Amino acid sequence: MNEEERVIAQETNETTTAAHAETETAVVTETAENADPAGTETENEAAECTEAEATAATDAEADTTTATAVEETNATASSAPEAPTETMADYDDAITASMKPIHEGDILKGTVIGISDEELTVDLGIYTDGVVRLGDASDDPDFSFRDFEIGQEISATVIRRDNAQGRIQLSLKAAAAVLGWERLQQLEKDQSNITVKISEAVKSGVTAYVEGIRGFIPASKLSLSYVENLDEYVGREIEVRVITADPENRRLVLSARDILREKEQEERKQRISNVEVGLVTEGTVETIKDYGAFIDLGKGMSGLLHVSQISQQRIKHPGVVLKEGQKVKVKVIGVKDGKISLSMKALEDVQAQEVEEETYKMPKAEAATTSFASLLKNIKL
């Protein structure tokens, strides 16, 4: 290649290089111009990434808090005593009772769950409830279901396994015929006090119901004194004891007298304990015995006036001086073991002493008598 050709080639190369440079510059410029939207998009993506990261951080924090709370709950639960685990064995008795066959004549225990004027509804713990109708409850004309309470436990006899409503029909009367007499016999043995309501007056006493069984209270066992009008006791509640419980003959006899006597004796002891020795009072001769007389002092109290305490003079029998119904004044000379000792002689001693103290004594005179001359001494004739 000659010199001229070499120069031309060099110029051509330089021109080509410059063209390439311009082209690259234009491309770069165009790329830069087109890069602005792309930059904004990138910024948005960056913002979105930042927000996502914040949300993730928040979720992570919440997960951490929840996990901590769960751990604390589990720790508390593990520290607390575990509740007993129930098994089928725990219900064996209830299941067995519910499946037990029911027969007429069986005596069942149950809980009162419903009360009305005409019937009593009873939970028997089996497949159905029981019901007691008023006519099967008692022979007492004053009987009422309103005397029962919800939750009260009762015993009743099955008289029909399935009535028209699909319930078991029960009878309190039939159960009382068995269980009632057993309790009455125990009450007789224990001599326990019970409260009854008098139902009616009959020829020689009154009647009352106990455990649904009619009992008789003789007039002589109704009070400490003779009862003239038995009708006054009808509807009254009194305390009694069972003195005869004979299920074979269906004979039930009650008494209030023994209880009243015990109460009276207790009250009498209390009153006697307040009586002081030396008290002077008036009483009535109640009864006369060979050894003395009993004096009624009132308020249920009486005392013994021994024959030796009746008079200063010796007497063979109290009847010589006293008679029943006579009013006498006596002095209490002793109180011991609930007994009062009286004396009339002590009052005579007191009266004699008072008379002696009240006797007037004449003053001693210088001379008991006067001569006749002394009487005429000052007389002028």
Side-chain angles (χ1 to χ4, degrees), residues 44-234:
N44 291 337
E45 290 178 355
E48 289 179 357
C49 290
T50 304
E51 184 178 354
E53 291 175 357
T55 303
T58 303
D59 291 343
E61 184 178 355
D63 290 342
T64 302
T65 303
T66 302
T68 303
V70 171
E71 290 177 358
E72 291 178 353
T73 302
N74 292 335
T76 303
S78 62
S79 62
E82 294 183 0
T85 304
E86 294 183 348
T87 64
M88 290 302 295
D90 298 326
Y91 300 96
D92 283 348
D93 293 340
I95 294 172
T96 302
S98 65
M99 298 178 63
K100 181 181 177 181
I102 304 299
H103 304 286
E104 293 181 1
D106 289 348
I107 296 179
L108 304 179
K109 289 185 178 181
T111 304
V112 176
I113 58 175
I115 301 173
S116 69
D117 292 333
E118 299 300 325
E119 64 181 28
L120 206 65
T121 305
V122 185
D123 179 8
L124 300 173
I126 56 177
Y127 58 89
T128 186
D129 294 332
V131 60
V132 181
R133 294 177 179 173
L134 188 60
D136 298 319
S138 175
D139 290 326
D140 185 355
D142 295 327
F143 178 86
S144 172
F145 283 133
R146 297 301 176 183
D147 295 331
F148 287 78
E149 297 178 354
I150 298 294
Q152 180 179 342
E153 292 188 354
I154 64 170
S155 296
T157 300
V158 178
I159 58 177
R160 185 178 297 175
R161 289 184 297 174
D162 189 359
N163 65 5
Q165 290 79 35
R167 299 185 294 178
I168 297 176
Q169 193 165 334
L170 305 170
S171 172
L172 294 177
K173 285 196 299 185
V178 178
L179 302 178
W181 282 108
E182 291 179 359
R183 181 168 183 264
L184 290 171
Q185 287 178 316
Q186 189 63 44
L187 288 172
E188 179 186 9
K189 180 180 179 180
D190 298 339
Q191 285 296 283
S192 302
N193 297 352
I194 55 175
T195 301
V196 299
K197 185 177 181 180
I198 305 301
S199 298
E200 62 177 341
V202 293
K203 184 177 180 180
S204 55
V206 296
T207 63
Y209 285 83
V210 184
E211 298 292 328
I213 299 171
R214 186 173 182 266
F216 175 67
I217 308 174
S220 60
K221 300 292 185 179
L222 194 57
S223 175
L224 292 175
S225 57
Y226 174 74
V227 179
E228 184 174 357
N229 187 3
L230 294 172
D231 290 329
E232 293 179 353
Y233 278 82
V234 176

Side-chain angles (χ1 to χ4, degrees), residues 326-338:
Q326 179 181 346
K327 297 287 186 180
V328 293
K329 183 174 286 188
V330 292
K331 180 179 180 179
V332 177
I333 59 174
V335 179
K336 185 178 180 181
D337 299 330

Side-chain angles (χ1 to χ4, degrees), residues 286-316:
E286 193 172 20
T287 56
I288 296 177
K289 304 293 183 181
D290 292 339
Y291 52 84
F294 287 95
I295 310 300
D296 181 8
L297 302 175
K299 296 183 179 180
M301 295 187 296
S302 63
L304 174 63
L305 177 61
H306 194 267
V307 64
S308 63
Q309 294 294 326
I310 293 178
S311 175
Q312 293 284 357
Q313 299 177 355
R314 185 175 181 180
I315 57 177
K316 294 182 179 180

Side-chain angles (χ1 to χ4, degrees), residues 264-295:
E264 183 187 55
Q265 290 174 350
E266 187 63 31
E267 292 173 357
R268 178 177 177 273
K269 287 181 181 179
Q270 185 64 35
R271 288 193 295 266
I272 288 176
S273 65
N274 295 326
V275 175
E276 297 181 357
V277 174
L279 173 68
V280 177
T281 184
E282 187 178 71
T284 304
V285 178
E286 193 172 20
T287 56
I288 296 177
K289 304 293 183 181
D290 292 339
Y291 52 84
F294 287 95
I295 310 300

